[in-house]
């Protein structure tokens, strides 16, 4: 049976192709974990309060499989790491920020994270990136003293 209108020909030819592309996008956009890595999620607190932004670095205790992640405004992070033990360093968003208003002064954001936590060598913090079945969210708790 032949369609009588050119629009019908195009819709019959393109509909199956569009469906395949849509299914591919849905499957391809999932939260896939890179091969050989595990997903580690967690939060960072400083003196009991969620850290509002920054960077968390993971330095492998053995090998060179390091990683880093941004810390959200609600203290959360997600990183993909090779399974193993890691020393941890945390940096906040301290320093100068552009002004809020045109021609306004730059804004200084004070340091929240104590200096010793900014290096994996001195932080005393460590985590284990476990196999996916054993993975649980971690809390990185920093204390000023």
């Amino acid at each position: 049976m032949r369609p009588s209108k050119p629009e019908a020909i195009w819709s019959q030819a393109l509909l199956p192709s569009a469906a395949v592309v849509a299914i591919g996008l849905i499957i391809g956009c999932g939260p896939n974990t890179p091969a050989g890595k595990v997903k580690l999620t967690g939060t960072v607190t400083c003196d009991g309060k969620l850290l509002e932004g920054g960077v968390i670095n993971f330095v492998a205790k053995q090998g060179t499989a390091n990683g880093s992640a941004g810390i959200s405004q609600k203290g959360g992070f997600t990183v993909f790491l090779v399974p193993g033990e890691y020393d941890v360093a945390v940096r906040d968003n301290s320093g100068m920020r552009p002004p809020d208003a045109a021609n306004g002064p730059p804004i200084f954001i004070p340091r929240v994270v104590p200096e010793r936590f900014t290096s994996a060598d001195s932080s005393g913090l460590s985590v284990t990136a476990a196999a996916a079945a054993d993975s649980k969210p971690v809390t990185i708790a920093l204390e000023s003293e």
Side-chain angles (χ1 to χ4, degrees), residues 4-130:
S4 60
K5 297 181 180 178
E7 296 86 16
I9 294 172
W10 280 107
S11 67
Q12 285 182 350
L14 293 179
L15 186 59
S17 298
V20 169
V21 170
I23 291 170
L25 288 173
I26 291 169
I27 293 171
C29 292
N32 295 329
T33 302
K37 296 192 176 187
V38 294
K39 181 178 179 180
L40 181 68
T41 61
T43 55
V44 181
T45 63
C46 188
D47 295 328
K49 297 179 185 174
L50 292 173
L51 190 63
E52 296 178 3
V55 175
I56 184 166
N57 295 307
F58 300 88
V59 179
K61 290 189 178 197
Q62 294 183 353
T64 58
N66 302 328
S68 64
I71 300 169
S72 74
Q73 290 183 334
K74 294 184 180 184
F77 68 87
T78 299
V79 65
F80 295 96
L81 300 168
V82 172
E85 296 284 327
Y86 292 84
D87 290 321
V88 178
V90 178
R91 291 179 183 81
D92 56 26
N93 285 335
S94 63
M96 299 302 284
R97 190 180 85 188
D100 286 335
N103 299 323
I107 298 169
F108 176 74
I109 301 171
R111 178 182 297 270
V112 175
V113 173
E115 185 71 28
R116 74 175 185 277
F117 294 114
T118 63
S119 169
D121 293 331
S122 62
S123 73
L125 302 169
S126 64
V127 297
T128 300

